Amino acid sequence: MAASAAAAIASPSGCGLFSTQGFSGSTRSLLWRKTEKRNVRKAVKGVIKAKIELSPPPYSLDGLEPHMSRETFEYHWGKHHRAYVDNLNKQIVGTELDTKTLEEIILATYNNGDLLPPFNNAAQVWNHDFFWESMKPGGGGKPSGELLELINRDFGSFEAFVSAFKAAAATQFGSGWAWLVYTTNKLNVGNAVNPRPSDEDKKLIVVKSPNAINPLVWDHSPLLTIDVWEHAYYLDFQNRRPDYISTFMEKLVSWDAVSSRLEAAKARALE
Amino acid sequence: MALRTLLTRKTLTAAPLGVRCLQTVSLPDLPYDYGDLEPAISAEIMQLHHHKHHQTYITNYNKALEQLDGAIAKGDASTVVKLQSAIKFNGGGHVNHSIFWKNLAPVRQGGGEPPKGSLGWAVDNHFDSLEALIQKMNAEGAALQGSGWVWLGLDKEFKRLVVETTPNQDPLVTKGPNLVPLLGIDVWEHAYYLQYKNVRPDYLKNIWKVINWKYASEVYDRECL
């Protein structure tokens, strides 16, 4: 699979394709990567157009074998993720969304729950980027440092967190995602805005979302995700979603990525 | 030719009301073998779909029913409400798949043969042609985001055919109390992924070769009496 040429691609050895630069300074910016990698600006007769790129996972397509097969990646990244990117670009070209970042497109097309057509593609592009980066070869194990402290504080123990995360992933009915998020929004219902934020609100919670929805639209900072659309696990696990979830937790999770994201999320919360 | 049925029946006793009988559901037999729908749908998919997915909906529905029964007996309204989504998901899964197996038939049993009689006439009348209906259902099925079903239904009140989609395992009746399902096509990824991978449109194109219009006609005639 040829990776998109325009973005600067790190070697598939797993050395940090994603940067931990969180924010560009604007108050609502929720950037997880350098904007420049996501939007290649092409000057065509003075018209600047943004094009969303398909970025490869930060490891080779067989890098997560035997826990997640190369064949799965060939379809999941090579077909599904690629189609979301291509279809999104077709939908936004020539529209006012054309010059926006991916995160801006997601929030604009979420439209407070009355989804506009580009939302599904935009959110799924973001979700899949985030998912690949949530895993690494030789992943699993336990988090450490401040992340572990916060998990212990907010869930009671690491085991309790794992239990909650697995339950969310297993009970997300139909297609969707399960997430660990960092939130400063005490009102943990979709679309509620916290009118009186305080330090006590800042915490880790597990949420699940259907289809393409992600916690950005609920004003949370995602730290970790697992894709529970059937296409994510069917070739390797068929109907056995719980086995897939366990394998993900035990063998694939990149706690380094989660820790980096936590740092960025806390920095953003201070804005 | 018959496949094994897994029967579960349970009798529950609730103390204040004497002996009660909770009617649970069980996996229906397929009227054909797993491999009989090939090449349109592979034997591997049919086996997983029937024996694992449908069975799981049944198991979880029966479990939720028992819990509901207990909550009702205790007057625990909060639990009764909490169980509604599990009942809808799993009960809907059972209802929908029970219809789906009857919507399919091997070619040698008439699978793929166009509808005749009153349903055939109604299709031509409402959609101009069978091809137009198929195109419409395939377009809506392909465009469905996430998991769900695409249906050919009969609106009993207006005596009119409709094409509808439902998300997840919502039965057709959730789109209108007068809607009767004639044909449902499962577009959850588990229905086609092992064979067609991400190319849902190919699955939709091919499934018509094993669609059992005879069953749809029977339902249509019965409802239109």
Side-chain angles (χ1 to χ4, degrees), chain A residues 16-22 31-35 37 133 260 264:
Chain A
L17 175 66
F18 56 92
S19 75
T20 58
Q21 285 171 232
L31 295 172
W32 296 96
R33 303 165 60 127
K34 286 188 181 175
T35 313
K37 280 186 185 169
E133 294 162 8
S260 299

Side-chain angles (χ1 to χ4, degrees), chain B residues 54-117:
Chain B
H54 189 172
Q55 179 60 60
T56 299
Y57 290 128
I58 284 169
T59 304
N60 291 338
Y61 174 65
N62 287 339
K63 199 158 55 181
L65 264 194
E66 270 185 53
Q67 291 171 326
L68 180 67
D69 198 57
I72 291 173
K74 284 193 292 216
D76 181 356
S78 165
T79 300
V80 169
V81 171
K82 193 174 73 163
L83 288 168
Q84 295 310 305
S85 63
I87 287 173
K88 187 182 183 190
F89 295 158
N90 294 296
H94 170 59
V95 165
N96 293 338
H97 285 87
S98 299
I99 296 168
F100 188 50
W101 309 135
K102 293 191 261 204
N103 285 156
L104 303 171
V107 170
R108 59 177 163 75
Q109 283 176 18
E113 274 173 28
K116 308 182 195 34

Side-chain angles (χ1 to χ4, degrees), chain A residues 71-72 75-76 79-80 84 117 120-121 171 173-175 211 229-232 234-235 238-239 241, chain B residues 44-45 48-49 52-53 56-57 89-90 145-147 168-169 188-191 193-194 197-198 200:
Chain A
E71 194 192 13
T72 289
Y75 287 100
H76 201 178
K79 305 279 184 185
H80 290 272
Y84 292 129
N120 280 308
N121 290 316
T171 59
F173 195 75
S175 313
N211 296 344
W229 283 62
E230 286 177 325
H231 65 237
Y234 214 81
L235 296 180
Q238 293 80 59
N239 62 302
R241 193 196 282 189
Chain B
E44 188 187 17
I45 285 182
L48 280 166
H49 205 172
K52 300 284 183 186
H53 289 277
T56 299
Y57 290 128
F89 295 158
N90 294 296
Q145 298 281 342
S147 310
N168 299 330
Q169 290 300 349
W188 281 62
E189 286 170 329
H190 66 236
Y193 207 80
L194 291 180
K197 309 294 193 305
N198 61 303
R200 193 193 283 177

Side-chain angles (χ1 to χ4, degrees), chain A residues 128-197:
Chain A
H128 285 86
D129 284 331
F130 195 79
F131 179 50
W132 309 139
E133 294 162 8
S134 295
M135 299 184 285
K136 68 173 195 184
K142 280 180 80 151
S144 57
E146 185 180 12
L147 174 59
L148 182 59
E149 276 171 32
L150 272 185
I151 287 177
N152 286 333
R153 184 197 76 176
D154 293 336
F155 292 95
S157 65
F158 176 65
E159 289 69 31
F161 155 70
V162 170
S163 210
F165 189 80
K166 283 182 166 186
T171 59
Q172 174 48 43
F173 195 75
S175 313
W177 304 76
W179 308 82
L180 172 66
V181 305
Y182 180 79
T183 185
T184 59
N185 186 1
K186 180 166 91 173
L187 304 171
N188 187 20
V189 295
N191 253 345
V193 176
N194 190 348
R196 298 184 60 178

Side-chain angles (χ1 to χ4, degrees), chain A residues 14-15 48 58 62 90 93 111 114 120 133 139 172 192 198 201 225:
Chain A
C15 49
I48 297 179
D62 61 2
K90 280 187 225 162
V93 70
N111 197 27
D114 188 14
N120 280 308
E133 294 162 8
Q172 174 48 43
S198 81
D201 297 337
T225 195

